[in-house]
Amino acid sequence: MMDLSAEKYSREIERIHLLNQYEESLHQRGIRYIAGVDEVGRGPLAGPIIAGAVILPRDCRILGLNDSKKVSEKKRKILEKEIKAKALSWAIGGVIPREIDRINIYQATKLAMKLAVQKLHLPPEHLIIDAMKLTEVDLPQTSIIKGDEKSASVAAASILAKCHRDRLMELYEKRFPGYGFQQHKGYPTQAHRTAILKLGRSSIHRVTFQVKEI
């Protein structure tokens, strides 16, 4: 009888192998430094938008790596440490709410990604980006719809960005009590909308984002 744990391990190895398919195809073309880029925080009513950029070594195996939305908070924190330990380079870029209001969320997303890429200490030779094209960055790029589910480096970037932003929102919980930032991280939950209608907007709320009671 097949050992179930061994079977699960084998399936996970195969999943991680498939998750590296985009990176491997680029490696086979002689491209060494491939940066995955992803963002978190486009939808919240408060807080910054954060982007991560990660260059993983070839054949990097990080078991459990996946889109940050599909991983529990506890697992994300474990993965974050492993990603940072194994990555050849990683960086975070962010855009504050005031700037989001000034340039709009789409432009702020691209700016956060550009900043993350620019902060990498190893110059990337190719970017794999979740569903966007960074025309402001003069590098070869591959844009993948749902890239955080299909590319290891993009998934790693999404994990780092999510963990970083969550920590920021937990700090804002202490600075701006009453909004519940620790629970909803600035996303438009019913409790968050009700708190805004009661307390008004804080200085980290995005004034161009519409607030309606559910």
Side-chain angles (χ1 to χ4, degrees):
M1 184 175 178
M2 182 178 291
D3 179 71
L4 187 60
S5 62
E7 183 181 4
K8 286 183 177 179
Y9 177 78
S10 179
R11 286 201 302 265
E12 179 62 7
I13 290 296
E14 178 60 23
R15 188 185 69 83
I16 294 299
H17 176 75
L18 291 174
L19 200 60
N20 276 282
Q21 63 181 330
Y22 287 100
E23 286 82 357
E24 182 55 30
S25 68
L26 293 168
H27 283 304
Q28 288 177 4
R29 289 163 46 190
I31 300 170
R32 297 173 299 167
Y33 302 135
I34 304 156
V37 186
D38 198 11
E39 54 70 33
V40 295
R42 292 185 75 172
L45 302 174
I49 185 163
I50 298 293
V54 179
I55 301 175
L56 295 174
R58 190 172 185 175
D59 298 324
C60 182
R61 286 184 180 179
I62 300 177
L63 301 187
L65 182 62
N66 208 335
D67 170 9
S68 62
K69 297 183 291 296
K70 295 185 174 183
V71 181
S72 70
E73 181 179 3
K74 181 179 179 180
K75 183 63 175 176
R76 280 197 303 267
K77 291 178 179 179
I78 295 170
L79 287 169
E80 179 190 28
K81 292 180 180 179
E82 187 172 358
I83 292 164
K84 289 181 176 180
K86 291 184 175 180
L88 298 176
S89 183
W90 63 269
I92 295 292
V95 176
I96 62 175
R98 184 170 64 251
E99 187 70 359
I100 294 172
D101 290 327
R102 188 181 74 82
I103 65 176
N104 77 47
I105 188 61
Y106 179 72
Q107 295 300 327
T109 299
K110 294 201 294 182
L111 178 56
M113 288 180 168
K114 177 183 176 181
L115 292 171
V117 171
Q118 290 177 335
K119 289 167 66 176
L120 289 166
H121 75 264
L122 276 178
E125 300 168 306
H126 194 104
L127 305 180
I128 302 179
I129 308 172
D130 184 25
M132 294 191 76
K133 192 78 172 178
L134 287 184
T135 54
E136 300 82 359
V137 177
D138 187 21
L139 283 171
Q141 302 172 26
T142 300
S143 177
I144 307 172
I145 302 299
K146 295 186 178 180
D148 44 12
E149 299 178 10
K150 301 173 182 177
S151 160
S153 57
V154 176
S158 78
I159 293 286
L160 296 196
K162 174 65 174 169
C163 289
H164 185 87
R165 190 179 188 281
D166 281 358
R167 281 194 293 271
L168 288 177
M169 297 311 296
E170 288 163 7
L171 290 174
Y172 286 137
E173 169 78 9
K174 299 174 183 178
R175 185 174 175 184
F176 303 102
Y179 292 98
F181 291 137
Q182 185 163 350
Q183 284 72 43
H184 53 65
K185 306 299 189 290
Y187 282 87
T189 63
Q190 180 174 352
H192 187 194
R193 291 180 187 273
T194 300
I196 295 171
L197 292 171
K198 179 181 178 181
L199 302 172
R201 298 179 194 264
S202 73
S203 60
I204 64 161
H205 278 92
R206 305 171 184 178
V207 299
T208 53
F209 281 48
Q210 192 173 19
V211 178
K212 289 183 179 179
E213 189 169 19
I214 299 173

